[in-house]
Amino acid sequence: MIIGKIMMIQNSSSKESVEYLISKKIMELKGNIKDYTLNRFIEEVGVSKTSMVRYLKNININKFSYFKNVMYEEYMHAEVDMKKMKKVIKNNFPHIQIQIFKKIMVCKRIVILGDGNRFALLLCQKALTYLGYPCEIPVYLGSEEEIIDQFHLKEDDLVIIVSLHETYDDFCTNRSVFYQNANYLDVKIKPKIGFIGVAPKDNHLYFNYNINQESFDKSMNELQVFFLNLVQYILYKNGI
């Protein structure tokens, strides 16, 4: 699927790079890209025709006209799949999870970072994008503070930090060893911050989703279930 390739390019590229800018614009347009000409697209993104041609070649496509038609078809299929999913959804989410979902839904943009298999979350990112919730899962190459700065995050954005081998307290302690002022979840910064990690013994909720760790693989599965439930919750609430 082309959208999966675009997501991987976006998530692994520098936020100032041509590749990131093109990918981000494509994901924002969704199926509406069918109404764009090549000239209109590169003008709005602010890149050259050569850069766009090179980008398309990297995903094995030669013509923009073909590319936008494929993108449109993928989004149309996704819309059908979402409607099918809606028919089988039951509103049986745990109360605590609903509280978290409500907080997530008021955010304009979601950035997920941390450990775990990020590419396993591409499906969740894809679904959230289809539903109109811009979601990015960047490859984690620096401190959380650097990522927050790179994305130019604002008060109505959300950062979800994932650490499947640590509790929240351990996360803050361990980060302070490596980075200055690393206790980000307690610092007053612009975006909202969420944390997904191992549940402490008292199972305290701190705007997070606690995963009871028995193994890393199980934690990864629970993380995927969390985001799948979020997608289903959005479908249910929005009546899609």
Side-chain angles (χ1 to χ4, degrees), residues 132-144:
Y133 285 78
C135 175
E136 300 189 55
I137 308 174
V139 174
Y140 185 38
L141 298 175
S143 70
E144 292 78 10

Side-chain angles (χ1 to χ4, degrees), residues 1 19 28 38 66 76 99 136 186 203 219 236:
M1 292 292 237
E19 291 77 13
E28 288 175 351
L38 173 58
Y66 173 74
M76 291 304 99
Q99 286 182 312
E136 300 189 55
D186 283 341
N203 203 33
S219 296
Y236 180 86

Side-chain angles (χ1 to χ4, degrees), residues 209-214 217-227:
Y209 184 72
N210 290 315
I211 294 176
N212 295 307
Q213 179 158 357
E214 293 182 7
D217 290 339
K218 181 177 179 182
S219 296
M220 192 66 232
N221 289 336
E222 289 190 33
L223 181 63
Q224 289 178 293
V225 169
F226 171 78
F227 283 105

